[in-house]
């Protein structure tokens, strides 16, 4: 199914920064009466086919005006993590960020598909709301919150909650019906944020996490966790899964990792309670409904870090905040954080296959490094933006080349190939294919604690007769 959206017809609102007195509903999506004269790229129709040419959208290692992102392949085969920062997302003052951690044989395809399609669904939902709101006097998306009901903050929360809910539902529906992407035993997490001025909106599923570095009253940096790791052993998650006849338990050799199992087979052992895809478990309690939250940022809030569990498995929130805040340059923060996680994997789990790591660092004051900052560190801006390790590089034309540089990690399996084939980026109706001769997904090998799945079910989409 093609996905396109036009976000023309915008309204004039002042671009508030943190701490300014800006009406929360002044969101440049139809809450104010007059139209903007300056148009952005998002005023035009955006499709999956022309995403690579969208300005201020980055999805490979590098930096933007306000952020830096970095991913590094683990030791399980192809990198199944994906990430994105899209500045000027709906207007000049709106930024979308996301990290997506795939799992299963086609998890890398699912993660990249969600990375590309989910932001467009958010845009489409907002544009659809704007069209209806222009003729309905400001009702919320489902019409259950009248203009006179609740505070402006309540109406804004209603709008964004419905937008995230609808977009996540549409994303999972598209994955289920995709003709070239088998998501029966493959899926992806998602941690996504939308920032505009002092407002931060978050929607997430799975165990990828978002935290914030903020200053306390004494000026010391503290870590604030913004999302909850949606693991199967959380009481509400476990109750839902068990009501749907799914099973939740941990393996004997990894008691700290609860997993979801089919009622009639010790598979697949999914290590999260919510995910895109994973349709073998959708009837047994695994869902793709996101948790949603809204936060009003203050001048004390410094930066936000989104990362896959390859980082959180070995580093605490406090350690992550310290690493990012002490990075020699802001542009290098994401890379340094991934490098730190890689070292911790070697120290803490020397017999495990290191998991993929993906990091997005968004700096809330809207500033990045200057050339003088690089010179003080003996670096150049070109050096900072370059790829410092052998992870995948996804080029502007959508092609993705898997490179490899040996790293001094102790691993349990020595059968991994040191050469990786090219992978064509997926667009609508043209999902990338991986050469099994050059690239094998080995996520079920080795010590299992790093795996989101333990084993694939012994059936396809057929279930035994009751």
């Amino acid at each position: 199914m093609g996905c396109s959206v036009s976000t023309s017809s915008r309204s004039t609102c002042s671009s508030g920064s943190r701490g300014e007195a800006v009406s929360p509903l002044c969101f440049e999506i139809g809450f104010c009466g007059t139209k903007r004269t300056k148009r952005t790229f998002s005023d035009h129709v955006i499709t999956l086919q022309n995403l690579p040419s969208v300005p201020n959208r980055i999805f490979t290692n590098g930096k933007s005006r306000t952020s830096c992102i970095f991913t590094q392949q683990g030791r399980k085969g192809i990198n199944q993590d994906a990430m994105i920062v899209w500045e000027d997302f709906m207007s000049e003052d709106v930024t979308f960020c996301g990290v997506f951690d795939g799992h299963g044989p086609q998890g890398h395809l699912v993660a990249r598909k969600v990375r590309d399609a989910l932001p467009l669904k958010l845009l489409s939902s907002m544009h659809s709301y704007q069209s209806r709101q222009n003729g309905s006097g400001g009702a919320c998306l489902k019409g259950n919150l009248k203009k006179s009901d609740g505070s402006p903050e309540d109406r804004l929360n209603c709008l964004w909650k419905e937008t995230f809910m609808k977009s996540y539902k549409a994303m999972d529906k598209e994955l289920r019906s995709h003709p070239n992407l088998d998501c029966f035993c493959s899926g992806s997490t998602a941690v996504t944020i939308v920032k505009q001025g002092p407002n931060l909106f978050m929607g997430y599923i799975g165990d990828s996490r978002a935290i914030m570095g903020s200053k306390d009253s004494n000026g010391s940096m503290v870590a604030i966790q913004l999302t909850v790791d949606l693991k199967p052993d959380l009481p509400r998650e476990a109750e839902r899964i068990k009501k749907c006849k799914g099973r939740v338990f941990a393996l004997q050799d990894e008691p700290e990792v609860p997993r979801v199992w089919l009622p009639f087979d010790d598979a697949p052992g999914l290590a999260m309670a919510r995910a895109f895809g994973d349709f073998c478990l959708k009837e047994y309690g695994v869902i793709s409904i996101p948790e949603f939250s809204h936060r009003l940022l203050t001048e004390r809030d410094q930066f936000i870090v989104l990362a896959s569990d390859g980082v959180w498995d070995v580093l605490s929130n406090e350690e992550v905040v310290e690493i990012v805040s002490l990075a020699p340059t802001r542009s290098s923060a994401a890379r340094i954080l991934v490098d730190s996680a890689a070292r911790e994997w070697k120290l803490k789990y020397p017999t495990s296959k290191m998991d993929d790591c993906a990091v997005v660092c968004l700096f809330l004051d809207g500033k990045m490094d200057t050339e003088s900052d690089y010179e003080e560190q003996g670096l150049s801006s070109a050096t900072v933006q370059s790829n410092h390790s052998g992870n995948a590089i996804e080029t502007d034309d959508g092609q993705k080349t898997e490179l490899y540089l040996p790293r001094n990690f102790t691993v349990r399996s020595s059968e991994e190939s040191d050469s990786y084939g090219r992978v064509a980026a997926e667009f609508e109706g043209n999902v990338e294919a991986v050469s099994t001769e050059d690239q094998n997904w080995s996520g079920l090998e080795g010590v299992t604690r790093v795996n989101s799945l333990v084993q694939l079910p012994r059936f396809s989409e057929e279930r035994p007769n009751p």
Side-chain angles (χ1 to χ4, degrees):
M1 301 189 312
C3 183
S4 63
V5 56
S6 171
T7 52
S8 52
S9 183
R10 301 213 188 278
S11 55
T12 301
C13 305
S14 60
S15 297
S17 59
R18 293 178 299 132
E20 294 182 7
V22 178
S23 170
L25 286 184
C26 192
F27 208 80
E28 301 202 358
I29 50 174
F31 286 111
C32 304
T34 58
K35 294 188 176 181
R36 292 171 45 201
T37 57
K38 184 176 180 180
R39 296 166 64 88
T40 67
F41 183 90
S42 57
D43 288 318
H44 305 287
V45 172
I46 302 173
T47 66
L48 285 173
Q49 281 74 15
N50 61 29
L51 271 180
S53 64
V54 175
N56 304 316
R57 175 186 178 272
I58 60 172
F59 54 94
T60 58
N61 294 349
K63 68 169 186 173
S64 67
R65 297 194 309 264
T66 62
S67 69
C68 62
I69 66 177
F70 196 87
T71 183
Q72 179 170 296
Q73 180 178 295
R75 297 287 290 180
K76 297 188 295 181
I78 192 169
N79 191 345
Q80 293 193 302
D81 286 359
M83 57 192 179
I84 183 175
V85 171
W86 189 342
E87 296 171 341
D88 301 338
F89 179 55
M90 302 176 67
S91 67
E92 291 90 341
D93 198 28
V94 182
T95 299
F96 173 87
C97 302
V99 165
F100 313 93
D101 183 358
H103 52 263
Q106 298 199 45
H108 55 295
L109 304 181
V110 180
R112 295 173 201 164
K113 179 67 177 177
V114 175
R115 174 200 67 193
D116 290 345
L118 183 60
L120 298 187
K121 295 187 184 301
L122 289 167
L123 282 175
S124 178
S125 180
M126 274 296 181
H127 178 60
S128 176
Y129 165 75
Q130 180 188 2
S131 299
R132 291 195 299 271
Q133 192 257 357
N134 286 340
S136 63
C140 196
L141 284 178
K142 286 186 176 178
N144 57 352
L145 188 61
K146 303 300 182 182
K147 188 174 181 179
S148 59
D149 292 340
S151 66
E153 291 82 4
D154 290 338
R155 298 202 299 274
L156 185 63
N157 282 335
C158 174
L159 167 63
W160 271 107
K161 183 175 182 179
E162 292 289 348
T163 298
F164 272 96
M165 294 294 175
K166 289 181 63 177
S167 300
Y168 272 63
K169 181 179 181 180
M171 185 73 253
D172 208 45
K173 182 178 180 180
E174 180 176 339
L175 290 173
R176 182 184 286 272
S177 61
H178 201 290
N180 301 319
L181 186 55
D182 183 1
C183 299
F184 191 63
C185 296
S186 298
S188 177
T189 71
V191 55
T192 55
I193 66 171
V194 173
K195 175 190 174 295
Q196 191 269 345
N199 292 290
L200 183 68
F201 308 95
M202 295 163 281
Y204 56 95
I205 56 177
D207 56 4
S208 297
R209 186 186 305 171
I211 68 167
M212 182 166 63
S214 187
K215 290 184 177 180
D216 61 16
S217 57
N218 297 321
S220 301
M221 289 296 299
V222 295
I224 300 173
Q225 186 163 328
L226 299 175
T227 61
V228 176
D229 299 346
L230 294 170
K231 301 285 192 179
D233 62 337
L234 293 178
R236 184 176 61 170
E237 305 297 310
E239 181 182 7
R240 182 189 68 247
I241 292 168
K242 291 174 182 178
K243 281 184 177 180
C244 296
K245 309 303 182 184
R247 297 180 295 158
V248 176
F249 63 86
L251 295 175
Q252 187 173 4
D253 60 349
E254 48 169 28
E256 76 283 3
V257 185
R259 297 179 180 275
V260 184
W261 309 84
L262 291 166
F264 46 79
D265 190 7
D266 287 342
L270 182 65
M272 63 197 71
R274 306 190 195 190
F276 286 121
D278 294 308
F279 295 112
C280 67
L281 288 170
K282 284 292 165 71
E283 295 183 20
Y284 303 107
V286 172
I287 60 176
S288 60
I289 300 172
E291 286 290 296
F292 171 83
S293 61
H294 167 242
R295 186 183 185 93
L296 199 61
L297 300 171
T298 71
E299 289 292 345
R300 291 182 177 180
D301 302 328
Q302 304 299 304
F303 56 82
I304 294 171
V305 177
L306 281 62
S308 58
D309 65 343
V311 172
W312 308 116
D313 280 348
V314 293
L315 293 173
S316 68
N317 295 346
E318 292 73 22
E319 288 171 329
V320 168
V321 166
E322 181 179 13
I323 291 168
V324 173
S325 61
L326 295 179
T329 61
R330 287 187 169 188
S331 297
S332 65
R335 173 180 59 82
I336 290 174
L337 180 54
V338 171
D339 289 344
S340 299
R343 287 193 297 271
E344 289 301 309
W345 271 100
K346 180 182 177 182
L347 293 173
K348 293 182 178 180
Y349 305 108
T351 60
S352 291
K353 289 186 175 184
M354 173 186 162
D355 201 359
D356 305 323
C357 295
V359 169
V360 169
C361 296
L362 176 67
F363 296 95
L364 298 174
D365 60 5
K367 300 176 183 177
M368 288 297 281
D369 310 305
T370 63
E371 281 298 327
S372 60
D373 296 324
Y374 298 129
E375 291 169 1
E376 289 177 5
Q377 300 297 328
L379 302 170
S380 69
S381 56
T383 301
V384 173
Q385 292 185 70
S386 66
N387 191 4
H388 288 257
S389 65
N391 57 284
I393 302 173
E394 198 163 351
T395 57
D396 290 339
D397 62 358
Q399 296 297 318
K400 191 175 185 90
T401 303
E402 300 294 338
L403 303 178
Y404 177 81
L405 292 178
R407 295 185 293 276
N408 296 322
F409 298 131
T410 304
V411 296
R412 184 167 183 173
S413 172
S414 61
E415 294 145 24
E416 291 182 275
S417 171
D418 285 352
S419 62
Y420 295 88
R422 293 185 62 85
V423 181
E426 78 283 12
F427 287 128
E428 202 65 30
N430 183 26
V431 178
E432 53 199 308
V434 182
S435 170
T436 56
E437 295 180 358
D438 296 330
Q439 175 67 59
N440 292 319
W441 176 72
S442 54
L444 303 184
E445 300 177 6
V447 177
T448 59
R449 79 161 314 284
V450 301
N451 300 330
S452 294
L453 294 179
V454 172
Q455 70 176 30
L456 302 181
R458 294 188 296 267
F459 63 95
S460 58
E461 299 201 28
E462 298 179 0
R463 288 173 293 166
N465 294 325

